[in-house]
Amino acid sequence: TGMPVRMIGINKDITKRKRASQERELIIDDMVQRNTALEQFAYIISHNLRAPIANIIGATDSLTEGDLDDEDRDMLTRGINESVIKLDNIVKDLNYILEVKGEKYDHIEAIQFADLVNDIKDSITDIISINNVLISYDFSAVSGISTLKPYAYSIFYNLITNSIKYRQQNVPCVIRIRSEQVGNKIILFFTDNGTGINISKHGENIFGLYKRFHTSVAGKGMGLFMVKTQVEKLGGKISVKSIENEETEFKIIFEQ
């Protein structure tokens, strides 16, 4: 008669397939991050380490010539000493980075964002007072998170002190920190009215090691690199947008 007499259905559980796909994406993401880290270290070896080593080689070659007066010898000796100190500082920086990347904390604890900010404000009271800094926060959307407190403190500390370091000299430094909840994501915003960064020019290098964009301010270019490293160690992501001499905003996303 053409009428169906029975219906056959197939029910397939794709949970395992979805889980495997998610795990594969995590592995790929981890490999990309590790490859980026290796590229950073290759850059340091080929550039930052090479410069002081080349200076030492050049100075020692000149010292062996034997026809130098005392003034030239003193100048070359000072140059060697300065290069050795620079080389030692680079090695210390690399060692610190490796320690952070290799640390395995297992003490997850509940932290309050307001407590972090207040602790940091207490630790830099003089800097805040001298530089006329105003730090405000609004954590009404999300008050805290369960995470590794040492990393969270370091992230907050570096972003706050970075805003102070790169403040505009002719206006009060204003730093605003707030939280948002979007689905299963906790989002933190760090905003300031400092000198800002030329995103179109430096966007790809903002979180790079030894990358500096304001030579008038002392620094080594490690702060934002370490912030990104620690954010990623906590499973998060960080991005930035900036308008020079108006506003800079760092955005950190953690998935619960």
Side-chain angles (χ1 to χ4, degrees), residues 1 7 23 26 29 31-32 34 62 91 96 117 120 163 165 178 188 217 235 245:
T1 62
M7 182 178 293
E23 290 176 353
L26 288 173
D29 187 55
M31 290 176 65
V32 169
R34 289 176 183 272
S62 297
V91 172
Y96 174 63
V117 176
I120 292 167
S163 293
K165 180 185 292 185
R178 62 185 177 89
L188 294 169
V217 180
N245 298 316

Side-chain angles (χ1 to χ4, degrees), residues 1-19:
T1 62
M3 296 293 291
V5 295
R6 70 169 61 90
M7 182 178 293
I8 299 175
I10 299 175
N11 184 20
K12 184 179 290 186
D13 187 356
I14 63 171
T15 303
K16 290 184 178 179
R17 187 188 304 171
K18 289 179 66 177
R19 186 180 297 117

